[in-house]
Amino acid sequence: MQKQEQKENVSSFPLGVRGVTVLAPATIANLVCGFDVLGMALHDPYDAMQLTLSEKPGIRIIHNDTYNLPTTPEQNVAGVSLLELMKELPDNYGFDLIIDKHIKPGSGLGSSAASAAGVVVAANHLLNNIFSKEDLVRFAMAGEKLASGVKHADNISPGIYGGVTLIRSIFPLDVVSVNAPPMYVAVVHPQIEVKTSDAREILRKEVLLKDAIKQWGNIAGLVAGFMKGDYGLISRSLEDVIIEPVRSMLIPGFDEVKTKSVYAGALGGGISGSGPSIFMLCEKENTALKVEKIMKDVYDNTGLKYHTYVTTINNEGIKLI
Ligand code: HSE
Protein backbone atom coordinates (compact mmCIF):
# COMPACT_ATOMS: atom_id res chain seq x y z
CA MET A 1 0.00 0.00 0.00
CA GLN A 2 1.27 3.52 -0.77
CA LYS A 3 2.19 5.71 2.18
CA GLN A 4 -0.24 8.50 1.24
CA GLU A 5 -3.09 6.03 0.77
CA GLN A 6 -2.38 4.52 4.22
CA LYS A 7 -2.29 7.92 5.90
CA GLU A 8 -5.70 8.70 4.40
CA ASN A 9 -7.11 5.36 5.57
CA VAL A 10 -6.00 5.70 9.16
CA SER A 11 -6.83 9.37 9.64
CA SER A 12 -10.51 8.43 9.81
CA PHE A 13 -9.98 6.15 12.86
CA PRO A 14 -10.86 7.75 16.18
CA LEU A 15 -7.94 7.97 18.57
CA GLY A 16 -8.62 6.76 22.07
CA VAL A 17 -7.34 4.32 24.59
CA ARG A 18 -7.51 0.93 22.93
CA GLY A 19 -5.25 -1.95 23.83
CA VAL A 20 -4.46 -5.52 22.85
CA THR A 21 -2.29 -8.32 24.20
CA VAL A 22 -0.42 -10.64 21.84
CA LEU A 23 1.44 -13.89 22.42
CA ALA A 24 4.46 -13.97 20.11
CA PRO A 25 5.96 -17.45 19.72
CA ALA A 26 9.51 -18.72 19.43
CA THR A 27 10.59 -19.62 15.92
CA ILE A 28 13.24 -21.89 14.45
CA ALA A 29 15.07 -20.22 11.58
CA ASN A 30 16.97 -22.08 8.85
CA LEU A 31 15.45 -25.52 9.60
CA VAL A 32 18.93 -27.00 9.08
CA CYS A 33 19.49 -26.62 5.32
CA GLY A 34 17.55 -23.40 4.60
CA PHE A 35 19.88 -20.68 5.89
CA ASP A 36 17.94 -17.38 5.90
CA VAL A 37 15.09 -18.84 3.80
CA LEU A 38 13.14 -21.30 5.99
CA GLY A 39 11.50 -20.90 9.40
CA MET A 40 8.93 -22.55 11.66
CA ALA A 41 6.78 -21.19 14.49
CA LEU A 42 6.52 -23.16 17.76
CA HIS A 43 3.91 -23.19 20.51
CA ASP A 44 6.52 -22.87 23.28
CA PRO A 45 8.13 -20.66 24.50
CA TYR A 46 6.44 -17.33 23.73
CA ASP A 47 6.54 -13.68 24.78
CA ALA A 48 3.52 -11.67 25.91
CA MET A 49 3.17 -8.05 24.84
CA GLN A 50 0.53 -5.50 25.64
CA LEU A 51 0.16 -2.55 23.26
CA THR A 52 -2.09 0.45 23.76
CA LEU A 53 -2.89 3.10 21.19
CA SER A 54 -2.44 6.53 22.73
CA GLU A 55 -3.29 10.12 21.92
CA LYS A 56 0.16 11.05 23.24
CA PRO A 57 2.57 10.89 20.27
CA GLY A 58 5.71 8.74 20.52
CA ILE A 59 6.44 5.29 21.97
CA ARG A 60 6.85 4.38 25.62
CA ILE A 61 8.26 0.92 26.45
CA ILE A 62 8.23 -0.94 29.75
CA HIS A 63 9.95 -4.31 30.17
CA ASN A 64 8.17 -6.58 32.62
CA ASP A 65 11.01 -9.13 32.65
CA THR A 66 14.56 -9.53 33.91
CA TYR A 67 16.54 -9.21 30.67
CA ASN A 68 17.45 -5.52 31.05
CA LEU A 69 16.78 -4.74 27.39
CA PRO A 70 16.85 -1.08 26.30
CA THR A 71 13.57 0.82 26.56
CA THR A 72 14.57 3.72 24.28
CA PRO A 73 12.48 3.02 21.14
CA GLU A 74 15.40 3.61 18.75
CA GLN A 75 17.48 0.98 20.62
CA ASN A 76 14.73 -1.58 21.17
CA VAL A 77 13.82 -4.13 18.45
CA ALA A 78 10.09 -3.71 19.10
CA GLY A 79 10.56 0.06 19.24
CA VAL A 80 12.31 0.35 15.87
CA SER A 81 9.78 -1.97 14.22
CA LEU A 82 6.94 0.17 15.53
CA LEU A 83 8.75 3.34 14.42
CA GLU A 84 9.01 1.83 10.93
CA LEU A 85 5.23 1.21 10.93
CA MET A 86 4.54 4.69 12.33
CA LYS A 87 6.29 6.28 9.33
CA GLU A 88 3.11 5.32 7.48
CA LEU A 89 0.73 6.83 10.07
CA PRO A 90 -0.25 10.43 10.79
CA ASP A 91 2.18 12.09 13.21
CA ASN A 92 -0.24 12.31 16.15
CA TYR A 93 -0.29 8.53 16.80
CA GLY A 94 1.41 7.13 19.90
CA PHE A 95 1.78 3.73 21.58
CA ASP A 96 2.45 2.37 25.05
CA LEU A 97 4.11 -1.05 25.09
CA ILE A 98 4.65 -3.51 27.91
CA ILE A 99 6.89 -6.49 27.05
CA ASP A 100 7.01 -9.67 29.11
CA LYS A 101 9.74 -11.79 27.52
CA HIS A 102 10.02 -15.52 28.06
CA ILE A 103 12.18 -16.28 25.00
CA LYS A 104 15.67 -15.57 26.21
CA PRO A 105 17.64 -13.13 24.02
CA GLY A 106 20.54 -14.85 22.27
CA SER A 107 18.91 -18.29 22.50
CA GLY A 108 18.52 -18.91 18.76
CA LEU A 109 14.78 -19.19 19.23
CA GLY A 110 13.82 -15.93 17.55
CA SER A 111 13.64 -13.74 20.65
CA SER A 112 14.19 -10.48 18.77
CA ALA A 113 11.80 -11.53 16.01
CA ALA A 114 9.06 -12.26 18.57
CA SER A 115 9.34 -8.69 19.86
CA ALA A 116 9.58 -7.16 16.39
CA ALA A 117 6.78 -9.19 14.80
CA GLY A 118 4.56 -9.23 17.91
CA VAL A 119 4.44 -5.46 18.21
CA VAL A 120 3.58 -4.79 14.56
CA VAL A 121 0.84 -7.46 14.57
CA ALA A 122 -0.59 -5.83 17.72
CA ALA A 123 -0.40 -2.34 16.19
CA ASN A 124 -2.06 -3.52 13.00
CA HIS A 125 -4.93 -4.98 15.01
CA LEU A 126 -5.40 -1.64 16.81
CA LEU A 127 -5.37 0.10 13.42
CA ASN A 128 -8.13 -2.15 12.05
CA ASN A 129 -5.69 -4.25 9.97
CA ILE A 130 -4.77 -1.60 7.41
CA PHE A 131 -1.45 -3.29 6.70
CA SER A 132 -0.83 -6.56 4.83
CA LYS A 133 1.31 -9.39 6.23
CA GLU A 134 4.07 -8.39 3.78
CA ASP A 135 3.96 -4.84 5.19
CA LEU A 136 4.30 -6.25 8.72
CA VAL A 137 7.32 -8.37 7.74
CA ARG A 138 8.88 -5.29 6.17
CA PHE A 139 8.38 -3.24 9.38
CA ALA A 140 9.61 -6.02 11.67
CA MET A 141 12.79 -6.53 9.63
CA ALA A 142 13.94 -3.17 11.05
CA GLY A 143 14.04 -4.93 14.43
CA GLU A 144 16.13 -7.80 13.04
CA LYS A 145 18.50 -5.29 11.45
CA LEU A 146 18.98 -3.67 14.85
CA ALA A 147 19.49 -7.03 16.58
CA SER A 148 21.81 -8.76 14.12
CA GLY A 149 23.04 -6.13 11.68
CA VAL A 150 21.17 -7.60 8.70
CA LYS A 151 17.59 -7.79 7.53
CA HIS A 152 16.45 -11.40 7.55
CA ALA A 153 12.85 -12.61 7.66
CA ASP A 154 13.15 -16.30 8.51
CA ASN A 155 12.11 -15.79 12.17
CA ILE A 156 9.65 -12.94 11.59
CA SER A 157 7.66 -14.58 8.80
CA PRO A 158 6.64 -17.79 10.61
CA GLY A 159 5.55 -15.59 13.55
CA ILE A 160 3.36 -13.45 11.30
CA TYR A 161 2.11 -16.16 8.89
CA GLY A 162 2.18 -19.14 11.28
CA GLY A 163 3.53 -22.63 10.55
CA VAL A 164 6.45 -23.07 8.17
CA THR A 165 7.44 -20.29 5.79
CA LEU A 166 9.82 -20.03 2.87
CA ILE A 167 11.36 -16.63 2.19
CA ARG A 168 11.92 -16.92 -1.54
CA SER A 169 13.19 -13.34 -1.64
CA ILE A 170 13.57 -10.39 0.72
CA PHE A 171 13.96 -7.65 -1.94
CA PRO A 172 11.28 -7.78 -3.27
CA LEU A 173 9.63 -9.61 -0.40
CA ASP A 174 8.16 -12.97 -1.38
CA VAL A 175 7.00 -15.14 1.54
CA VAL A 176 5.45 -18.56 0.87
CA SER A 177 3.50 -20.53 3.49
CA VAL A 178 4.45 -24.21 3.37
CA ASN A 179 2.03 -26.78 4.75
CA ALA A 180 3.72 -29.29 7.02
CA PRO A 181 2.43 -32.54 8.55
CA PRO A 182 2.03 -32.77 12.35
CA MET A 183 5.38 -33.03 14.07
CA TYR A 184 6.79 -32.79 17.58
CA VAL A 185 9.78 -30.59 18.20
CA ALA A 186 12.27 -31.24 21.01
CA VAL A 187 14.47 -28.25 21.81
CA VAL A 188 17.38 -27.77 24.18
CA HIS A 189 18.69 -24.33 25.00
CA PRO A 190 22.14 -24.61 26.60
CA GLN A 191 22.64 -21.42 28.60
CA ILE A 192 25.54 -19.97 26.67
CA GLU A 193 25.09 -16.86 24.58
CA VAL A 194 25.79 -16.91 20.85
CA LYS A 195 25.25 -13.52 19.24
CA THR A 196 23.68 -13.81 15.79
CA SER A 197 26.09 -11.15 14.48
CA ASP A 198 29.09 -13.26 15.68
CA ALA A 199 27.57 -16.48 14.34
CA ARG A 200 27.22 -14.81 10.94
CA GLU A 201 30.67 -13.27 11.02
CA ILE A 202 32.42 -16.66 11.24
CA LEU A 203 30.72 -18.07 8.13
CA ARG A 204 32.68 -18.55 4.95
CA LYS A 205 31.67 -16.01 2.31
CA GLU A 206 32.09 -18.45 -0.57
CA VAL A 207 30.56 -21.89 -1.14
CA LEU A 208 31.83 -24.75 -3.27
CA LEU A 209 29.53 -25.67 -6.14
CA LYS A 210 29.36 -29.30 -4.97
CA ASP A 211 28.17 -28.11 -1.53
CA ALA A 212 25.66 -25.71 -3.08
CA ILE A 213 24.20 -28.55 -5.15
CA LYS A 214 23.76 -30.69 -2.03
CA GLN A 215 22.24 -27.80 -0.12
CA TRP A 216 19.65 -26.77 -2.70
CA GLY A 217 18.73 -30.41 -3.22
CA ASN A 218 18.06 -30.63 0.52
CA ILE A 219 16.05 -27.39 0.68
CA ALA A 220 13.85 -28.49 -2.19
CA GLY A 221 13.56 -31.96 -0.64
CA LEU A 222 12.57 -30.54 2.75
CA VAL A 223 9.88 -28.27 1.29
CA ALA A 224 8.55 -31.11 -0.88
CA GLY A 225 8.66 -33.47 2.13
CA PHE A 226 6.64 -31.00 4.23
CA MET A 227 4.04 -30.46 1.49
CA LYS A 228 3.66 -34.17 0.72
CA GLY A 229 3.71 -35.15 4.41
CA ASP A 230 6.57 -37.50 3.55
CA TYR A 231 8.47 -38.05 6.82
CA GLY A 232 11.19 -40.09 5.09
CA LEU A 233 11.94 -37.28 2.65
CA ILE A 234 11.89 -34.73 5.49
CA SER A 235 14.37 -36.87 7.40
CA ARG A 236 16.74 -37.32 4.42
CA SER A 237 16.66 -33.59 3.66
CA LEU A 238 17.58 -32.42 7.19
CA GLU A 239 21.24 -32.04 6.29
CA ASP A 240 23.36 -28.87 6.20
CA VAL A 241 26.77 -29.08 4.56
CA ILE A 242 27.49 -25.34 4.64
CA ILE A 243 26.56 -23.60 7.90
CA GLU A 244 26.37 -26.36 10.53
CA PRO A 245 29.98 -27.59 10.18
CA VAL A 246 31.16 -24.08 11.10
CA ARG A 247 28.61 -23.00 13.70
CA SER A 248 28.31 -26.30 15.57
CA MET A 249 31.82 -25.73 16.95
CA LEU A 250 30.31 -22.94 19.11
CA ILE A 251 27.90 -25.38 20.80
CA PRO A 252 29.31 -27.91 23.29
CA GLY A 253 27.45 -31.23 23.12
CA PHE A 254 26.02 -30.57 19.64
CA ASP A 255 27.34 -33.67 17.87
CA GLU A 256 26.38 -35.96 20.75
CA VAL A 257 22.81 -34.62 20.95
CA LYS A 258 22.36 -34.93 17.22
CA THR A 259 23.80 -38.42 16.82
CA LYS A 260 21.95 -39.87 19.81
CA SER A 261 18.64 -38.19 18.88
CA VAL A 262 18.67 -39.58 15.36
CA TYR A 263 19.58 -42.99 16.75
CA ALA A 264 16.54 -42.71 19.08
CA GLY A 265 14.24 -42.12 16.10
CA ALA A 266 14.21 -38.34 15.50
CA LEU A 267 13.68 -37.37 11.87
CA GLY A 268 16.66 -35.06 12.18
CA GLY A 269 17.47 -31.54 13.30
CA GLY A 270 20.31 -29.19 14.03
CA ILE A 271 21.09 -25.68 15.21
CA SER A 272 18.04 -23.49 15.81
CA GLY A 273 18.70 -20.21 14.00
CA SER A 274 22.18 -19.07 14.87
CA GLY A 275 22.22 -21.16 18.07
CA PRO A 276 23.00 -22.17 20.73
CA SER A 277 19.60 -23.95 20.89
CA ILE A 278 19.40 -27.33 19.16
CA PHE A 279 16.12 -28.73 17.83
CA MET A 280 15.04 -32.16 16.67
CA LEU A 281 11.90 -32.90 14.62
CA CYS A 282 10.03 -36.10 15.52
CA GLU A 283 7.01 -37.79 14.04
CA LYS A 284 5.75 -39.14 17.38
CA GLU A 285 5.45 -37.51 20.78
CA ASN A 286 7.11 -40.41 22.61
CA THR A 287 10.18 -40.06 20.36
CA ALA A 288 10.34 -36.34 21.16
CA LEU A 289 10.19 -37.16 24.88
CA LYS A 290 13.04 -39.68 24.44
CA VAL A 291 15.03 -37.02 22.61
CA GLU A 292 14.38 -34.54 25.41
CA LYS A 293 15.80 -37.09 27.88
CA ILE A 294 18.91 -37.47 25.69
CA MET A 295 19.32 -33.67 25.61
CA LYS A 296 19.06 -33.52 29.41
CA ASP A 297 21.57 -36.34 29.89
CA VAL A 298 24.09 -34.74 27.52
CA TYR A 299 23.87 -31.34 29.20
CA ASP A 300 23.87 -32.77 32.72
CA ASN A 301 27.25 -34.26 31.80
CA THR A 302 28.63 -30.97 30.46
CA GLY A 303 27.68 -29.13 33.65
CA LEU A 304 26.09 -26.37 31.58
CA LYS A 305 22.69 -25.02 32.62
CA TYR A 306 20.01 -25.65 30.02
CA HIS A 307 16.31 -25.53 29.32
CA THR A 308 14.32 -28.03 27.26
CA TYR A 309 10.96 -27.85 25.50
CA VAL A 310 8.82 -30.45 23.78
CA THR A 311 6.35 -28.63 21.60
CA THR A 312 4.56 -28.69 18.24
CA ILE A 313 4.35 -26.52 15.13
CA ASN A 314 2.30 -23.37 15.74
CA ASN A 315 0.20 -22.95 12.62
CA GLU A 316 -1.55 -19.85 13.95
CA GLY A 317 1.57 -17.80 14.70
CA ILE A 318 1.22 -14.62 16.76
CA LYS A 319 -1.99 -14.80 18.73
CA LEU A 320 -4.21 -11.91 19.79
CA ILE A 321 -5.88 -12.36 23.16
N1 HSE B 1 19.02 -17.04 9.50
C1 HSE B 1 19.57 -16.35 10.61
C2 HSE B 1 20.96 -16.90 10.91
C3 HSE B 1 18.67 -16.54 11.79
O1 HSE B 1 21.09 -18.12 10.95
O2 HSE B 1 21.89 -16.12 11.08
C4 HSE B 1 19.13 -15.87 13.04
O3 HSE B 1 18.20 -16.15 14.06
mmCIF file of all heavy atoms in Angstrom, residues 29-30 35-36 152 154-155 196 200 247 273-274, ligand 1:
data_model
loop_
_atom_site.group_PDB
_atom_site.id
_atom_site.type_symbol
_atom_site.label_atom_id
_atom_site.label_comp_id
_atom_site.label_asym_id
_atom_site.label_seq_id
_atom_site.Cartn_x
_atom_site.Cartn_y
_atom_site.Cartn_z
ATOM 1 N N ALA A 29 14.650 -20.662 12.912
ATOM 2 C CA ALA A 29 15.070 -20.222 11.583
ATOM 3 C C ALA A 29 16.013 -21.254 10.982
ATOM 4 O O ALA A 29 16.651 -22.021 11.690
ATOM 5 C CB ALA A 29 15.769 -18.872 11.676
ATOM 6 N N ASN A 30 16.063 -21.256 9.679
ATOM 7 C CA ASN A 30 16.973 -22.079 8.852
ATOM 8 C C ASN A 30 16.450 -23.508 8.646
ATOM 9 O O ASN A 30 16.592 -24.063 7.577
ATOM 10 C CB ASN A 30 18.401 -22.151 9.419
ATOM 11 C CG ASN A 30 19.029 -20.774 9.586
ATOM 12 O OD1 ASN A 30 18.618 -19.814 8.943
ATOM 13 N ND2 ASN A 30 20.013 -20.668 10.462
ATOM 14 N N PHE A 35 19.316 -21.888 5.252
ATOM 15 C CA PHE A 35 19.877 -20.682 5.885
ATOM 16 C C PHE A 35 19.226 -19.421 5.324
ATOM 17 O O PHE A 35 19.252 -19.180 4.111
ATOM 18 C CB PHE A 35 21.386 -20.645 5.630
ATOM 19 C CG PHE A 35 22.087 -19.454 6.228
ATOM 20 C CD1 PHE A 35 22.191 -19.303 7.604
ATOM 21 C CD2 PHE A 35 22.643 -18.475 5.409
ATOM 22 C CE1 PHE A 35 22.840 -18.199 8.165
ATOM 23 C CE2 PHE A 35 23.296 -17.371 5.953
ATOM 24 C CZ PHE A 35 23.387 -17.238 7.330
ATOM 25 N N ASP A 36 18.598 -18.667 6.215
ATOM 26 C CA ASP A 36 17.941 -17.377 5.896
ATOM 27 C C ASP A 36 16.674 -17.518 5.046
ATOM 28 O O ASP A 36 16.081 -16.496 4.697
ATOM 29 C CB ASP A 36 18.905 -16.392 5.198
ATOM 30 C CG ASP A 36 19.786 -15.638 6.194
ATOM 31 O OD1 ASP A 36 19.690 -15.893 7.407
ATOM 32 O OD2 ASP A 36 20.570 -14.787 5.736
ATOM 33 N N HIS A 152 16.813 -10.050 7.965
ATOM 34 C CA HIS A 152 16.448 -11.403 7.545
ATOM 35 C C HIS A 152 15.047 -11.668 8.078
ATOM 36 O O HIS A 152 14.642 -11.123 9.107
ATOM 37 C CB HIS A 152 17.458 -12.459 8.008
ATOM 38 C CG HIS A 152 17.649 -12.515 9.485
ATOM 39 N ND1 HIS A 152 16.910 -13.347 10.283
ATOM 40 C CD2 HIS A 152 18.463 -11.828 10.311
ATOM 41 C CE1 HIS A 152 17.283 -13.176 11.534
ATOM 42 N NE2 HIS A 152 18.218 -12.262 11.584
ATOM 43 N N ASP A 154 13.482 -14.888 8.282
ATOM 44 C CA ASP A 154 13.146 -16.300 8.513
ATOM 45 C C ASP A 154 12.635 -16.584 9.923
ATOM 46 O O ASP A 154 12.074 -17.667 10.159
ATOM 47 C CB ASP A 154 14.307 -17.231 8.126
ATOM 48 C CG ASP A 154 15.659 -16.805 8.678
ATOM 49 O OD1 ASP A 154 15.792 -15.661 9.140
ATOM 50 O OD2 ASP A 154 16.579 -17.628 8.645
ATOM 51 N N ASN A 155 12.791 -15.656 10.870
ATOM 52 C CA ASN A 155 12.108 -15.788 12.166
ATOM 53 C C ASN A 155 10.807 -14.991 12.177
ATOM 54 O O ASN A 155 9.795 -15.428 12.750
ATOM 55 C CB ASN A 155 12.987 -15.286 13.321
ATOM 56 C CG ASN A 155 14.163 -16.192 13.626
ATOM 57 O OD1 ASN A 155 15.299 -15.857 13.317
ATOM 58 N ND2 ASN A 155 13.907 -17.342 14.220
ATOM 59 N N THR A 196 23.907 -13.537 17.205
ATOM 60 C CA THR A 196 23.677 -13.806 15.786
ATOM 61 C C THR A 196 24.737 -13.117 14.932
ATOM 62 O O THR A 196 25.252 -13.705 13.973
ATOM 63 C CB THR A 196 22.265 -13.331 15.381
ATOM 64 O OG1 THR A 196 21.320 -14.064 16.154
ATOM 65 C CG2 THR A 196 21.984 -13.568 13.907
ATOM 66 N N ARG A 200 27.223 -15.088 12.387
ATOM 67 C CA ARG A 200 27.217 -14.810 10.937
ATOM 68 C C ARG A 200 28.628 -14.447 10.471
ATOM 69 O O ARG A 200 29.037 -14.792 9.370
ATOM 70 C CB ARG A 200 26.236 -13.680 10.593
ATOM 71 C CG ARG A 200 24.789 -14.042 10.842
ATOM 72 C CD ARG A 200 23.855 -12.917 10.453
ATOM 73 N NE ARG A 200 23.579 -12.864 9.040
ATOM 74 C CZ ARG A 200 22.593 -13.518 8.420
ATOM 75 N NH1 ARG A 200 21.783 -14.296 9.096
ATOM 76 N NH2 ARG A 200 22.414 -13.406 7.124
ATOM 77 N N ARG A 247 29.248 -23.516 12.484
ATOM 78 C CA ARG A 247 28.613 -22.999 13.703
ATOM 79 C C ARG A 247 28.552 -24.015 14.851
ATOM 80 O O ARG A 247 28.537 -23.635 16.015
ATOM 81 C CB ARG A 247 27.189 -22.536 13.392
ATOM 82 C CG ARG A 247 27.146 -21.211 12.678
ATOM 83 C CD ARG A 247 25.719 -20.733 12.577
ATOM 84 N NE ARG A 247 25.652 -19.366 12.086
ATOM 85 C CZ ARG A 247 24.530 -18.781 11.745
ATOM 86 N NH1 ARG A 247 23.372 -19.428 11.837
ATOM 87 N NH2 ARG A 247 24.532 -17.529 11.325
ATOM 88 N N GLY A 273 18.216 -21.543 14.377
ATOM 89 C CA GLY A 273 18.699 -20.211 13.996
ATOM 90 C C GLY A 273 20.206 -20.175 14.064
ATOM 91 O O GLY A 273 20.886 -21.064 13.543
ATOM 92 N N SER A 274 20.724 -19.168 14.764
ATOM 93 C CA SER A 274 22.183 -19.067 14.872
ATOM 94 C C SER A 274 22.699 -19.706 16.152
ATOM 95 O O SER A 274 23.860 -19.552 16.508
ATOM 96 C CB SER A 274 22.592 -17.594 14.808
ATOM 97 O OG SER A 274 21.918 -16.859 15.794
HETATM 98 N N1 HSE B 1 19.016 -17.043 9.502
HETATM 99 C C1 HSE B 1 19.570 -16.346 10.614
HETATM 100 C C2 HSE B 1 20.956 -16.903 10.905
HETATM 101 C C3 HSE B 1 18.669 -16.539 11.788
HETATM 102 O O1 HSE B 1 21.093 -18.123 10.949
HETATM 103 O O2 HSE B 1 21.887 -16.121 11.084
HETATM 104 C C4 HSE B 1 19.132 -15.868 13.036
HETATM 105 O O3 HSE B 1 18.202 -16.146 14.065
#
